[in-house]
Amino acid sequence: MSVLIVGGAGYIGSHAVDWFCENNYEVVVVDNLSTGHKDAINKKAKFYEGDLRDKSFMRRVFDNEVIDGVIHFAAFSIVPESMKKPLDYYDNNVYGMNVLLEIMNEYSVKNIVFSSTAATYGEPKQIPIKETDPQVPTNPYGETKLAMEKMMHWADTAYGIKFVALRYFNVGGAKPDGSIGEDHNPETHLTPIVLDVAHGTRNELTIFGNDYDTTDGTNVRDYVHVMDLAEAHRLAFEYLKAGNDSNAFNLGSSTGFSNLQIVEAARKVTGKEIPTKIGPRRPGDPSTLIADSTKARTVLNWKPKYDNVEKIIQDAWTWETKNPSGYGDK
Ligand code: UDP
């Protein structure tokens, strides 16, 4: 029996593949390598290169393998890009989920763990955000992820496919030995950009807005280590295999850091100056996002091990200094 990890060559997916392999699961990876990297996939996993939306390709995978459950990471995930290309997001994310659930139903695979996001909440009514809070996305990325959650809900009602939606807040860090890490092209996320500046591959960081209603005027986000996320997926998979009901969990550290505080922490970790300038607000950015992740801690028994932002930056820095051009394939 294997766990199928769709999108297992991407940043978070590859850390989950690695973690499942290290914990002796049989892992099958599906990825079209549009943004992922073949070298990021743990060699113990069996890899099928192809597109989730290609039904005949997906049927081949399900014919060849005995799939016990699915972990789904294969989605576009960049807020500003989603504002410019919303239909690409609906096609890849929503239609991709449609095909996946259809094939799972065809092959009677009943469990799915899904990468959802804090972006499904939009501009929060209260901080910290609870799973029961209203989900009103402010950008197409969040809209597609919310639609995907709802599709799983109705597929559960109709076909009995159980799901766990893991709503991530801001993910950072890398496997501590620096062998896998974050490599997007172009990079849009704050911590890797900050570390590119520290490393000298970029001249400066533009901070998107300093007139938000926060302590220093810059956006506040809640950072969680990618290895802790990987473990949360394993726990969610086991939760479903134990016969529990569909559920949604926030995954964050429950502590907020402003963009300026992230830069300060990176200066401390790297010992570099990291020049910054203030630019305009980035469309679609909520002011503050902080998770209440009590539910994941109590129901899934999730115990984040790397619960501090300097460790997240340190591990990302180890990856960056060992692999200044990332995987070097794009
Ligand atoms: N950000 C920034 N400059 C950059 C990239 C990101 O100021 O070059 C800010 C962004 O506006 C947000 C925070 O960093 O307030 C985190 O953004 P990121 O894209 O990393 O993650 P998101 O919150 O969109 O998931």
Side-chain angles (χ1 to χ4, degrees):
M1 296 283 259
S2 299
V3 44
L4 171 63
I5 304 192
V6 189
Y11 167 45
I12 305 171
S14 62
H15 285 79
V17 169
D18 189 77
W19 186 241
F20 275 75
C21 288
E22 285 204 352
N23 283 278
N24 300 316
Y25 291 79
E26 297 285 320
V27 178
V28 172
V29 172
V30 161
D31 201 298
N32 65 5
L33 299 183
S34 65
T35 57
H37 310 272
K38 199 169 176 187
D39 287 345
I41 305 169
N42 187 303
K43 299 284 173 287
K44 287 187 201 149
K46 192 160 169 190
F47 176 47
Y48 289 84
E49 183 177 344
D51 196 302
L52 165 64
R53 293 162 293 181
D54 176 348
K55 288 186 195 173
S56 55
F57 161 71
M58 289 302 284
R59 284 196 185 101
R60 259 197 326 274
V61 175
F62 278 72
D63 280 336
N64 284 349
E65 307 292 339
V66 183
I67 305 292
D68 199 14
V70 177
I71 320 254
H72 181 22
F73 292 100
F76 291 156
S77 62
I78 298 168
V79 170
E81 184 185 59
S82 80
M83 303 286 282
K84 294 199 183 107
K85 300 178 181 171
L87 299 181
D88 289 9
Y89 274 65
Y90 277 86
D91 179 27
N92 194 46
N93 296 1
V94 176
Y95 181 62
M97 177 65 99
N98 203 106
V99 171
L100 183 59
L101 292 171
E102 211 176 306
I103 303 280
M104 285 176 69
N105 189 37
E106 236 173 85
Y107 286 80
S108 299
V109 175
K110 295 291 183 192
N111 298 321
I112 175 167
V113 178
F114 168 59
S115 313
S116 190
T117 167
T120 61
Y121 294 111
E123 188 64 59
K125 295 274 170 300
Q126 58 171 24
I127 296 290
I129 301 169
K130 287 195 168 57
E131 288 84 354
T132 45
D133 286 353
Q135 290 178 289
V136 189
T138 54
N139 52 61
Y141 165 60
E143 288 285 6
T144 59
K145 288 270 171 152
L146 181 57
M148 292 160 90
E149 284 198 8
K150 290 186 174 171
M151 289 164 85
M152 291 190 299
H153 166 76
W154 294 114
D156 179 5
T157 308
Y159 319 123
I161 296 176
K162 299 290 167 202
F163 70 92
V164 168
L166 296 175
R167 297 182 189 144
Y168 317 155
F169 284 62
N170 287 62
V171 188
K175 188 175 179 182
D177 68 4
S179 59
I180 50 175
E182 189 162 9
D183 179 9
H184 297 115
N185 189 11
E187 188 52 77
T188 61
H189 292 111
L190 181 65
T191 52
I193 290 178
V194 167
L195 295 180
D196 282 347
V197 178
H199 199 253
T201 43
R202 282 176 202 254
N203 296 333
E204 63 182 359
L205 166 77
T206 302
I207 293 179
F208 300 139
N210 66 349
D211 57 351
Y212 286 95
D213 185 17
T214 59
T215 44
D216 60 26
T218 63
N219 284 156
V220 171
R221 295 287 181 271
D222 178 340
Y223 291 83
V224 56
H225 196 292
V226 67
M227 294 307 299
D228 285 327
L229 275 197
E231 169 63 355
H233 287 78
R234 200 189 65 77
L235 293 169
F237 184 73
E238 290 302 329
Y239 166 93
L240 288 174
K241 279 189 59 181
N244 289 297
D245 238 330
S246 296
N247 218 331
F249 300 96
N250 287 341
L251 297 178
S253 67
S254 308
T255 312
F257 288 87
S258 74
N259 293 341
L260 282 172
Q261 285 172 324
I262 291 293
V263 176
E264 264 322 307
R267 286 179 179 140
K268 206 167 143 194
V269 167
T270 63
K272 308 284 182 185
E273 189 195 342
I274 312 183
T276 61
K277 71 169 188 208
I278 303 297
R281 288 183 176 201
R282 187 174 70 173
D285 266 343
S287 160
T288 298
L289 293 173
I290 301 173
D292 180 335
S293 41
T294 315
K295 189 175 162 193
R297 289 163 205 255
T298 51
V299 178
L300 295 178
N301 202 20
W302 183 54
K303 296 190 183 74
K305 280 199 291 202
Y306 307 94
D307 210 352
N308 108 44
V309 83
E310 280 173 21
K311 172 69 178 157
I312 291 174
I313 292 172
Q314 179 60 62
D315 288 344
W317 184 234
T318 304
W319 156 256
E320 166 96 25
T321 47
K322 281 192 168 179
N323 308 275
S325 324
Y327 293 99
D329 58 349
K330 294 215 158 96

